[in-house]
């Protein structure tokens, strides 16, 4: 084994012994809060700290007593997939008073707690920071009142605070995503998809109100994810005369054979005079001006409910672990921080910097500085808005630039959810850039056979929510048919290609296991030689082990896993989940692992196995996939447009430089166009995977939360960064959602 370096934690060197950590959820609930609580408890116990639940948020801290209880490893079992917050959340007026905070300080000192993980919105986190600032004064008052010994002031001299933002509105500056947002988008899109079928049947217009009193993120992203006809958000009120423009758009869409219209409204939507725009106003407007059969649906608290998405579970688990690390590394001079997501990395930011910028957004909106409000929301929000405008509102032919370039779009490899959203985005952005857009059916096979058709704006209407690949996709490689493909490119005068494709569901099962005692499920996932699905799926589902090709294992590892699982189940009622990537090992097959666990666990637990197969490729795309596919494709088309202009000379396109063929993907915190030539050195072509996988750093989290002793790479953590208003241009944090 390699020797530990200064940037990797080995847990014998990182001790929480003598520390007491408390976790609470405050304000509104959000799906994924339980995953964060679970991660804080298990990581805290893992490093030797005492961990406490504070039930009912700040109210429980003020009231004390049974509201503050010590947590155990088993007390957070089977809560990963549960929505809401099992430790309760309450808004507490008393904590806003000095007397209330004095009571809270007394209750914490009685339990020896000086480290707080607060999961909530900006109000909850602001209250925590005020509590921290007053801490020494509060202890002094408690000594004067004879409630604590004078020695306690020195012993508990500093209160350390780390925040995690739990809010479905994604209204907190400094993080790309807040806990609960992705799950809320799932609820919204489920409703929209269901409504679309009845709307098409009756040729109706639906006006949907979604949450977001002060932030239009849910409305904006759900509009982008379902291809809504119109969206109204508080950050960008419509211009005067918007009613007529909206009705014209709805009428034009109906004239284009579209049988339904979807209008999405944030509950805090306003006009330029800060006057509320209600769903009833919009309904009456459409009925009066167009005579369309129009219905209103207000989603309400259904957006807060249900099972948290895989994204929220992983996000919350990463944040919970990072929060404990931050508390262990804090000093008396360390400011309260909040754990945030930036690209695909966890970062720590000063809590009050984030709060102050969040408050600046509202101030800008109150003062009608709406463009500034959009920028303050962050690049993610701004890019979402720009992309929606680009795709939803078609410019008149007379206003379109004329490029004289032909661009073709095709899908290759296995079908994947989100491909159709990407094609729709590419076609519409290409048309907006003045290109003539062509779609190729059935990948490279269709290309060399001449299955090429020009696509217009309306040809991709309604594609965003469709699963699979409507263009068709095959694994045929182009090498054998290069001459025929070149002939087709000459025939259609194609100047550029946008290729969407690959290298050419554990939760329900875990819930089933939760209904039985001492049962282990062995699940096989897809992925070829790439263990991403098994690893990240394991983290989201709370798996005990995940076997992948990238981390070789032998019979001793399998035996150790069985013994570990057996020991856990002897001490309490447990459920087990083991994932296996389909190509992780030629000899240790799913059947072999199933039989091994069945035999070695005899008398302690029984086993079931399930091969998920192609169901993993099926179904409607998630909000994340729709949004990601849409925005990454739009970015790719804009890059193609730029390159075509740069390479056009003497009536021809000269694409003979290294950067004329690039792969667009995320590297750490940025979306990067990387020349394919450079990827040769970084790719394992035999197994069709990168030589370095960023997500391998997440695997120790799964092991830690499953109670295995391991090491954890923190090379990307530990530094307190600062909130920046303008991130680097290529850093499109909006890919987080």
């Amino acid at each position: 084994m390699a020797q530990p370096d200064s940037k990797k934690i080995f847990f014998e060197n990182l001790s929480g012994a003598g520390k007491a950590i408390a976790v609470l959820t405050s304000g509104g609930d959000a799906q994924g809060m339980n995953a964060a609580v679970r991660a804080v408890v298990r990581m805290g116990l893992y490093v030797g700290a005492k961990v406490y639940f504070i039930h009912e948020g700040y109210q429980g801290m003020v009231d004390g007593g049974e509201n503050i209880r010590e947590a155990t490893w088993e007390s957070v079992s089977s809560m990963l997939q549960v929505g809401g917050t099992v430790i309760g959340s309450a808004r507490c007026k008393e904590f806003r008073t000095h007397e209330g905070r004095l009571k809270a300080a007394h209750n914490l000192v009685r339990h020896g707690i000086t480290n707080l993980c607060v999961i909530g919105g900006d109000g909850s986190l602001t209250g925590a920071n005020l509590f921290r600032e007053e801490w020494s004064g509060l202890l002094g008052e408690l000594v004067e009142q004879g409630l604590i010994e004078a020695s306690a002031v020195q012993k508990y001299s500093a209160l350390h605070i780390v925040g995690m933002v739990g809010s479905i509105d994604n209204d907190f500056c400094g993080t790309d995503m807040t806990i609960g947002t992705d799950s809320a988008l799932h609820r919204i899109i489920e409703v929209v998809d269901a409504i679309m079928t009845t709307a098409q049947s009756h040729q109706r217009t639906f006006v949907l109100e979604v949450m977001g009193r002060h932030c239009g993120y849910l409305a904006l992203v759900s509009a982008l994810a379902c291809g809504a006809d119109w969206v109204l958000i508080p950050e960008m009120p419509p211009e005067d005369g918007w009613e007529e423009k909206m009705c014209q758009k709805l009428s034009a869409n109906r004239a284009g054979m579209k049988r339904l219209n979807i209008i999405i409204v944030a509950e805090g939507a306003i006009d330029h005079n800060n006057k509320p725009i209600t769903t009833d106003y919009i309904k009456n407007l459409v009925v009066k001006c167009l005579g369309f059969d129009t219905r209103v649906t207000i989603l309400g608290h259904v957006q807060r409910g249900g099972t948290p998405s895989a994204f929220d579970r992983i996000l919350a688990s990463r944040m919970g672990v990072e929060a404990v690390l931050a508390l262990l590394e804090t000093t008396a001079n360390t400011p309260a921080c909040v754990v945030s997501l930036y690209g695909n990395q966890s970062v720590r930011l000063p809590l009050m910097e984030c709060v102050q910028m969040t408050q600046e957004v509202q101030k800008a909106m109150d003062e009608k500085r709406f463009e500034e409000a959009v920028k303050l929301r962050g690049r993610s929000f701004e890019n979402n808005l720009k992309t929606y405008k680009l795709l939803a509102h078609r410019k008149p032919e007379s206003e379109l630039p004329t490029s004289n370039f032909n661009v073709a779009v095709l899908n290759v490899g296995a079908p994947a959810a989100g491909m159709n959203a990407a094609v729709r985005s590419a076609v519409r952005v290409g048309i907006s850039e003045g290109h003539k857009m062509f779609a190729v059916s059935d990948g490279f096979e269709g290309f060399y056979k001449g299955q090429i058709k020009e696509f217009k704006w309306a040809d991709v209407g309604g594609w965003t929510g469709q699963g699979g690949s409507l263009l068709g996709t095959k694994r045929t490689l182009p090498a054998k048919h290069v001459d025929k493909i070149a002939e087709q490119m000459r025939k259609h005068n194609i100047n550029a290609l946008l290729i969407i494709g690959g290298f050419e569901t554990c939760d329900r099962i875990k819930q089933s296991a939760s209904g039985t005692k001492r049962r282990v499920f062995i699940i096989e996932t897809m992925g070829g030689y790439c263990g991403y699905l098994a690893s990240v799926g394991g983290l989201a589902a709370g798996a005990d082990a995940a076997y992948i090709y990238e981390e070789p294992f032998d019979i001793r590892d399998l035996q150790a896993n069985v013994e570990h699982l057996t020991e856990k189940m002897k001490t309490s009622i447990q459920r087990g989940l083991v994932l296996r990537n389909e190509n992780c090992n030629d000899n240790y097959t799913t059947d072999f692992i199933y039989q091994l666990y069945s035999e070695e666990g005899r008398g302690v637990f029984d086993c079931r196995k399930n091969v998920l197969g192609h169901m993993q490729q099926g179904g409607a795309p998630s909000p994340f996939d729709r949004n990601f596919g849409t925005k990454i494709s739009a970015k790719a088309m804009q890059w193609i447009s730029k390159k075509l202009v740069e390479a056009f000379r003497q009536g021809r396109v000269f694409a003979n430089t290294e950067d004329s063929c690039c792969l667009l993907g995320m590297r750490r915190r940025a979306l990067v166009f990387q020349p394919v030539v450079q990827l040769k050195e970084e790719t394992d072509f035999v197994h069709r995977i990168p030589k370095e996988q960023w997500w391998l750093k997440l695997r120790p989290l799964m092991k830690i939360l499953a109670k295995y002793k391991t090491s954890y790479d923190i090379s990307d953590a530990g530094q307190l960064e600062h909130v920046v208003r303008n991130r680097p241009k290529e850093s499109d944090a909006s890919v987080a959602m």
Side-chain angles (χ1 to χ4, degrees), residues 470-502:
L470 294 177
L471 285 182
T473 178
K474 293 189 177 180
R475 294 181 181 271
T476 305
L477 297 175
K480 295 181 181 179
H481 310 285
V482 169
D483 292 341
K484 292 181 179 179
I485 290 172
E487 182 182 333
Q488 292 294 335
M489 292 185 73
R490 283 192 295 270
K491 179 180 177 181
H492 294 88
N493 193 26
I494 292 172
N495 305 113
L497 280 178
L498 176 59
I499 302 171
I500 302 166

Side-chain angles (χ1 to χ4, degrees), residues 77-369:
S77 295
S78 301
M79 67 188 291
L80 189 61
Q81 67 270 22
V82 179
T85 165
V86 299
I87 61 173
S89 180
R91 302 185 190 278
C92 180
K93 291 183 179 179
E94 196 173 357
F95 189 76
R96 296 178 183 175
T97 68
H98 183 79
E99 292 75 17
R101 293 191 291 276
L102 189 65
K103 290 181 184 179
H106 185 209
N107 288 324
L108 292 188
V109 170
R110 289 173 65 184
H111 290 88
I113 298 168
T114 57
N115 298 279
L116 279 182
C117 282
V118 181
I119 308 167
D122 62 327
S124 302
L125 299 179
T126 302
N129 189 68
L130 175 62
F131 190 38
R132 172 183 169 276
E133 291 174 346
E134 293 181 342
W135 181 255
S136 59
L138 293 171
L139 295 193
E141 289 184 49
L142 291 172
V143 171
E144 290 175 6
Q145 295 177 16
L147 295 174
I148 63 173
E149 299 292 333
S151 59
V153 176
Q154 180 65 31
K155 186 176 181 181
Y156 306 116
S157 60
L159 179 67
H160 306 296
I161 303 284
V162 173
M164 289 174 274
V165 190
S167 167
I168 69 167
D169 293 334
N170 203 30
D171 55 355
F172 193 81
C173 293
T175 185
D176 292 344
M177 286 286 276
T178 57
I179 297 169
T181 302
D182 185 64
S183 299
L185 286 168
H186 273 265
R187 302 294 93 79
I188 295 169
I189 295 304
E190 285 166 7
V191 172
V192 172
D193 286 351
I195 279 175
M196 279 184 163
T197 58
T198 184
Q200 283 180 327
S201 300
H202 298 278
Q203 296 191 60
R204 284 180 175 147
T205 295
F206 270 87
V207 185
L208 279 82
E209 181 185 283
V210 301
M211 284 187 166
R213 256 198 324 271
H214 305 293
C215 178
Y217 185 88
L218 288 179
L220 177 57
V221 174
S222 56
L224 196 58
C226 73
D229 297 277
W230 204 267
V231 65
L232 293 157
I233 59 174
E235 290 88 349
M236 187 54 67
E239 298 175 356
D240 292 339
W242 66 271
E243 294 94 337
E244 183 180 351
K245 290 180 181 178
M246 183 185 75
C247 289
Q248 287 175 350
K249 172 116 187 277
L250 299 181
S251 181
N253 285 346
R254 285 292 178 92
M257 303 304 291
K258 188 176 181 181
R259 292 178 59 86
L260 77 156
N261 301 112
I262 299 290
I263 302 167
I264 296 183
V265 187
E267 62 178 326
I270 53 174
D271 63 16
H272 264 282
N273 299 311
N274 283 341
K275 179 182 176 182
I277 300 175
T278 66
T279 51
D280 284 336
Y281 176 77
I282 296 171
K283 174 189 173 182
N284 295 334
L285 176 70
V286 174
V287 171
K288 179 181 177 182
C289 296
L290 300 175
F292 290 172
D293 183 3
T294 305
R295 306 297 170 92
V296 170
T297 298
I298 298 176
L299 272 64
H301 282 76
V302 71
Q303 296 160 87
R304 290 192 185 278
T307 300
S309 67
F311 185 99
D312 273 327
R313 299 184 206 186
I314 295 164
L315 174 65
S317 297
R318 293 180 68 184
M319 284 185 169
V321 168
E322 185 69 23
V324 173
L325 292 177
L327 286 172
L328 293 179
E329 296 171 8
T330 192
T331 67
N333 299 320
T334 305
C337 75
V338 63
V339 179
S340 301
L341 179 72
Y342 188 176
N344 61 22
Q345 292 185 290
S346 296
V347 297
R348 304 174 196 172
L349 299 171
L351 189 153
M352 290 313 297
E353 284 188 20
C354 297
V355 169
Q356 286 161 9
M357 185 171 286
T358 302
Q359 293 170 346
E360 281 185 45
V361 177
Q362 188 59 49
K363 183 180 179 183
M365 290 164 60
D366 292 340
E367 296 174 357
K368 300 183 181 181
R369 294 180 283 114

Side-chain angles (χ1 to χ4, degrees), residues 25-26 28-38 84-85 119-120 166-167 179 316:
T25 53
S26 178
D29 65 306
Q31 307 97 319
M33 279 184 165
N34 289 324
V37 170
R38 171 180 177 267
T85 165
I119 308 167
S167 167
I179 297 169

Side-chain angles (χ1 to χ4, degrees), residues 492-699:
H492 294 88
N493 193 26
I494 292 172
N495 305 113
L497 280 178
L498 176 59
I499 302 171
I500 302 166
F503 205 99
E504 53 269 348
T505 1
C506 301
D507 179 45
R508 292 176 184 262
I509 293 165
K510 185 70 182 285
Q511 287 185 35
S512 169
S514 297
T516 62
K517 294 183 180 180
R518 295 176 179 169
R519 173 165 291 171
V520 175
F521 278 85
I522 314 294
I523 310 300
E524 180 183 300
T525 67
M526 295 179 78
Y529 287 94
C530 179
Y532 177 84
L533 285 178
S535 298
V536 180
L539 182 58
D544 295 277
Y547 302 114
I548 63 172
Y549 170 80
E550 290 90 344
E551 285 189 3
F553 58 96
D554 57 26
I555 192 65
R556 290 166 294 186
D557 297 309
L558 291 170
Q559 186 64 36
N561 294 152
V562 174
E563 291 172 357
H564 179 83
L565 200 50
T566 303
E567 194 61 33
K568 282 173 63 178
M569 290 199 175
K570 283 180 179 177
T571 58
S572 62
I573 297 173
Q574 291 279 344
R575 277 71 60 188
L577 179 64
V578 175
L579 301 183
R580 177 189 177 274
N581 166 253
E582 60 182 344
N583 289 340
C584 66
N585 189 287
D586 291 338
N587 298 311
Y588 300 131
T589 64
T590 302
D591 284 336
F592 178 91
I593 293 174
Y594 165 71
Q595 290 168 8
L596 176 67
Y597 273 75
S598 297
E599 180 61 32
E600 296 299 318
R602 189 184 299 275
V604 180
F605 58 80
D606 62 1
C607 287
R608 297 289 186 272
K609 67 176 177 179
N610 196 314
V611 178
L612 298 180
H614 284 79
M615 67 172 288
Q616 295 161 88
Q617 294 179 341
S622 68
F624 181 96
D625 283 327
R626 299 181 195 196
N627 196 24
F628 182 75
T630 296
K631 289 190 292 186
I632 201 169
S633 185
K635 191 176 184 72
M637 276 305 307
Q638 289 167 336
W639 178 87
I640 284 174
S641 297
K642 177 185 174 185
K643 288 296 177 182
L644 283 171
V645 172
E646 291 176 358
F648 187 72
R649 296 187 299 275
Q650 300 175 352
R652 295 180 61 190
V653 174
F654 291 86
N656 51 9
T657 60
E658 192 175 87
D659 66 347
S660 64
C661 180
C662 285
L663 174 72
L664 174 58
M666 176 162 248
R667 289 258 171 153
R668 294 170 64 87
R669 303 182 183 186
L671 277 175
V672 176
F673 289 94
Q674 185 166 7
V676 172
V677 173
Q678 295 178 8
L679 292 173
K680 287 183 179 180
E681 299 300 319
E682 303 174 17
T683 304
D684 175 354
F685 284 95
V686 174
H687 299 100
R688 299 158 66 93
I689 56 174
K691 291 179 181 177
E692 291 188 15
Q693 305 266 39
W694 71 268
W695 50 265
L696 286 173
K697 290 183 179 181
L698 301 182
R699 282 183 60 79

